[in-house]
């Protein structure tokens, strides 16, 4: 009897455990929702933070550009120019990328100086409607390409004038767009910001997001019509998102203004990467281009040219050829510092040959890396058969976001390492950490690929398409898709290996 009594008590104990877990989960959900509500209620504090960041940003951007260049003995804590370089490229931008993965685009909504300035400008500006040309889907990639390329030509990571021209130029453009278009919105951020496409991708990995419960939304509207609830003013969504359909962290700036609206919108937890597996909106070519040809192509080309002996060898061969053919002007012509690096006092001058080769290396090399990354994905999409639509290819490519985001972080953090070594800090463990991070990013990507391919197959089953055209079934499709992603990782991994271990 005792045995039976003990056995019969187990379901109750298990129920208590389940209830406890459910209560803990509800408590976590309540806490995160309250945090979102606190953001909505403390707009004044957030605005204070925003303008403090604007002030710090302006000081670190403008003042170092007015000072003499530091000598090679300058240190982070003893020279403002070196300190500003470390803050911008050693801390600021690398950890902005990390914040996207951890908290979504809270940087955009709470801290970004360009977002603050363009929104403030639009409140006093002309308020004109967004023109059709500005809505072109190719701007995220083209803006990223242009800024990356210009930054390398102006040596944005090394010199304060380069940073002022690139970052300051972007800020001025954001203010001008705000003065002309929109009314209290962030047209610049939505349409033209050079990192909007990158942030859109990385934020989809975030474990938190603002989401609209459409059932509650509709119930509130019915209550208003019946006189049981009071109509409330819609929050001013700066990035111009249709709030009723908000279910993605890609465009949301996590400013908190919409929290609690119609008792239907709140900040919520979610499984990291779930938005990549089941995207709430169709994945488009613009996402693919920014990821595969931008993060895994152009960005790697920009980080690799200065460390590559192949670049040096190519430059020497071309210089010899030009001299032999009495074509000296590409070797002797320079441009103003704000266009092409020109610091003779530091023996750092780019001539036209340098500028042309850097441009070709980034554009052609980035395009080649993007093509090599695309080939396995295209092959896997074809082998899976069925309706091998491009939308399925765009969707599968999202599994490369962890590797693409980490690559930009590694490239930017190389500046961090250089400056810390210059201050005598021992970083012998850096390459080991890089190897671990690359391995983890690839493993995360493969897990995402397995889940994405499974979701695609299940979706086709639901739509009655699973055997159309010889579509591979179940785990076979998953294996092909995951293998294609594994092969797509190799070009980027190859370049990172050469940069950190091979060259």
């Amino acid at each position: 009897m005792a045995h039976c009594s003990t056995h019969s008590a187990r379901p109750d104990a298990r129920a208590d455990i389940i209830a406890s877990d459910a209560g803990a989960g509800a408590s976590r959900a309540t806490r995160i929702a309250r945090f979102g509500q606190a953001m909505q209620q403390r707009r004044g504090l957030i605005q204070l933070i925003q303008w403090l960041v604007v002030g710090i940003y302006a000081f670190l951007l403008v003042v170092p550009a007015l000072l003499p260049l530091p000598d090679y003995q300058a240190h982070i804590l003893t020279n403002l120019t070196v300190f500003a370089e470390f803050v911008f490229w050693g801390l600021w931008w690398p950890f902005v990328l990390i914040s996207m993965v951890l908290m979504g685009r809270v940087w955009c909504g709470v801290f970004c100086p360009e977002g603050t300035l363009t929104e403030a400008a639009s409140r006093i500006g002309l308020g004109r409607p967004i023109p059709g040309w500005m809505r072109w889907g190719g701007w995220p990639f083209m803006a990223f390409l242009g800024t990356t390329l210009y930054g390398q030509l102006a040596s944005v990571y090394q010199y304060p004038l380069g940073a002022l021209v690139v970052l300051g130029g972007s800020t001025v453009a954001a203010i001008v767009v705000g003065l002309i278009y929109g009314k209290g919105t962030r047209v610049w951020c939505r349409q033209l910001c050079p990192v909007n496409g990158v942030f859109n991708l990385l934020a989809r990995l975030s474990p938190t997001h603002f989401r609209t419960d459409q059932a509650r939304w509709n119930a509130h509207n019915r209550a208003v019509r019946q006189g049981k609830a009071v109509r409330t003013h819609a929050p001013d969504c700066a990035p111009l998102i249709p709030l009723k359909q908000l279910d993605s962290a890609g465009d949301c700036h996590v400013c908190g203004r919409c929290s609690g609206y119609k008792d239907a919108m709140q900040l919520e937890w979610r499984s990291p990467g779930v938005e990549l597996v089941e995207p709430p909106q169709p994945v488009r070519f613009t996402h693919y281009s920014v990821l595969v040809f931008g993060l895994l192509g152009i960005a790697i080309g920009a980080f690799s040219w200065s460390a590559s002996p192949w670049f040096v060898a190519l430059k020497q061969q071309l210089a010899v050829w030009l001299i032999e053919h009495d074509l000296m002007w590409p070797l002797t012509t320079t441009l103003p510092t704000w266009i092409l690096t020109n610091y003779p006092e530091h023996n750092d001058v780019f001539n036209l040959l340098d500028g042309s080769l850097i441009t070709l290396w980034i554009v052609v090399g980035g395009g080649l890396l993007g093509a090599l990354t695309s080939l396995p994905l295209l092959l896997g999409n074809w082998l899976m058969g069925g309706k091998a639509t491009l939308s399925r290819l765009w969707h599968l490519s999202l599994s490369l976001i962890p590797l693409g985001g980490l690559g930009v972080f590694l490239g930017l953090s190389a500046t961090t390492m250089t400056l810390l070594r210059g201050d005598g800090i021992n970083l012998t463990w850096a390459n080991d950490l890089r190897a671990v991070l690359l391995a983890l990013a690839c493993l995360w990507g493969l897990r995402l690929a397995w889940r994405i391919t499974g979701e695609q197959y299940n979706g086709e089953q639901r739509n009655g398409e699973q055997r159309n055209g010889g579509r591979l079934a179940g785990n076979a499709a998953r294996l092909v898709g995951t293998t294609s992603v594994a092969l797509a990782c190799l070009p980027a991994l190859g370049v990172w290996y050469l940069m950190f271990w091979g060259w």
Side-chain angles (χ1 to χ4, degrees):
M1 292 295 293
H3 172 75
C4 292
S5 175
T6 303
H7 180 76
S8 64
R10 288 178 182 172
D12 294 336
R14 184 178 180 185
D16 290 342
I17 293 172
I18 293 174
S20 176
D21 291 344
S27 178
R28 289 176 67 248
T30 301
R31 285 197 297 270
I32 193 70
R34 285 176 179 169
F35 181 78
Q37 193 66 21
M39 294 180 70
Q40 191 272 336
Q41 295 168 350
R42 291 170 173 78
R43 290 297 309 155
L45 176 60
I46 289 178
Q47 290 173 341
L48 175 62
I49 293 171
Q50 289 174 328
W51 287 105
L52 283 174
V53 173
V54 168
I56 295 170
Y57 170 78
F59 177 80
L60 293 179
L61 191 64
V62 175
V63 174
L66 303 176
L67 298 175
L69 289 176
D71 58 32
Y72 294 105
Q73 304 300 318
H75 296 285
I76 296 172
L77 298 180
T78 61
N79 185 278
L80 179 61
T81 300
V82 179
F83 177 77
E85 181 184 350
F86 180 72
V87 169
F88 274 129
W89 309 113
L91 296 178
W92 190 312
W93 281 107
F95 288 94
V96 165
L97 297 178
I98 292 177
S99 76
M100 296 293 155
V101 177
L102 296 180
M103 299 177 291
R105 298 182 64 168
V106 70
W107 161 260
C108 299
V110 178
F111 301 103
C112 179
E114 284 192 3
T116 300
L117 290 168
T118 193
E119 183 178 347
S122 77
R123 293 189 184 280
I124 61 173
L126 301 176
R128 293 180 179 175
I130 304 174
W133 64 266
M134 198 178 287
R135 299 180 187 271
W136 178 51
W139 283 124
F141 175 78
M142 295 305 298
F144 179 76
L145 169 62
T147 305
T148 301
L149 186 58
Y150 188 24
Q152 293 301 306
L153 296 176
S155 295
V156 68
Y157 302 141
Q158 290 78 31
Y159 296 104
L161 182 58
L164 178 62
V165 170
V166 176
L167 297 180
S170 177
T171 302
V172 170
I175 294 172
V176 171
V177 169
L179 288 172
I180 299 174
Y181 302 107
K183 196 65 179 176
T185 58
R186 299 187 175 192
V187 175
W188 167 265
C189 305
R190 175 76 173 183
Q191 306 295 340
L192 299 175
C193 174
V195 288
N196 177 47
V198 175
F199 289 172
N200 181 291
L201 294 172
L202 296 181
R204 294 167 184 252
L205 294 169
S206 170
T208 64
H209 71 148
F210 275 98
R211 188 183 74 85
T212 300
D213 186 324
Q214 294 197 13
R216 287 189 174 186
W217 180 288
N218 294 331
H220 179 86
N221 287 346
R222 286 194 300 270
V224 169
R225 289 194 296 269
Q226 296 168 3
K228 298 178 180 178
V230 178
R231 185 182 300 275
T232 57
H233 291 290
D236 54 339
C237 180
L240 303 166
I241 299 173
L243 295 181
K244 185 177 180 179
Q245 288 79 38
L246 179 58
D247 194 26
S248 169
D251 291 321
C252 176
H253 284 194
V254 198
C255 64
R257 302 179 202 184
C258 64
S259 184
Y261 180 55
K262 294 191 177 183
D263 197 29
M265 305 186 69
Q266 66 178 17
L267 187 61
E268 295 181 352
W269 291 106
R270 63 179 184 173
S271 174
V274 67
E275 186 177 336
L276 305 186
V277 179
E278 301 178 51
Q281 292 95 30
V283 185
R284 305 189 184 281
F285 176 70
T286 182
H287 303 116
Y288 183 88
S289 63
V290 171
L291 174 58
V292 175
F293 288 93
L295 291 177
L296 294 169
I298 297 298
I300 294 178
F303 290 127
S304 65
W305 71 267
S306 60
S308 173
W310 301 343
F311 180 89
V312 175
L314 178 61
K315 177 186 171 181
Q316 290 175 340
Q317 291 177 2
L318 287 175
V320 169
W321 186 89
L322 290 170
I323 293 172
E324 290 176 347
H325 290 77
D326 200 24
L327 297 172
M328 300 302 295
W329 60 268
L331 301 174
T332 57
T333 304
T334 60
L335 296 176
T337 305
W338 60 273
I339 299 177
L340 199 61
T341 300
N342 191 350
Y343 299 94
E345 67 275 23
H346 279 243
N347 296 317
D348 193 4
V349 177
F350 289 172
N351 54 37
L352 288 186
L353 177 61
D354 294 316
S356 300
L357 278 182
I358 292 170
T359 302
L360 287 173
W361 184 276
I362 294 174
V363 175
V364 177
L368 179 60
L369 280 172
L372 291 174
T373 303
S374 298
L375 285 176
L377 298 177
L378 290 166
L379 179 60
N381 199 42
W382 176 74
L383 289 175
M384 282 187 284
K387 293 186 175 180
T389 59
L390 289 176
S391 61
R392 196 171 77 191
L393 174 65
W394 310 150
H395 186 190
L396 181 60
S397 72
L398 296 183
S399 56
L400 294 169
I401 291 177
L403 180 61
L406 176 64
V408 178
F409 174 81
L410 291 179
L412 290 173
S413 63
T415 299
T416 312
M417 304 297 179
T418 300
L419 291 172
L420 291 176
R421 287 193 185 99
D423 273 19
I425 298 176
N426 186 358
L427 299 170
T428 55
W429 45 265
N431 276 357
D432 293 335
L433 179 60
R434 287 165 172 155
V436 170
L437 291 176
L438 285 169
L440 290 175
C442 290
L443 290 174
W444 191 1
L446 295 181
R447 174 172 169 73
L448 287 171
W450 182 266
R451 294 175 62 194
I452 288 172
T453 312
E455 175 62 26
Q456 289 174 340
Y457 179 75
N458 292 335
E460 291 181 13
Q461 276 192 320
R462 291 191 294 269
N463 295 330
E465 303 170 0
Q466 71 273 23
R467 300 306 301 168
N468 190 339
R471 174 75 158 101
L472 289 177
N475 286 339
R478 283 182 154 189
L479 183 61
V480 169
T482 305
T483 302
S484 69
V485 170
L487 294 174
C489 292
L490 295 180
L493 289 176
V495 177
W496 291 123
Y497 172 80
L498 290 174
M499 282 187 62
F500 296 130
W501 296 278
W503 283 335

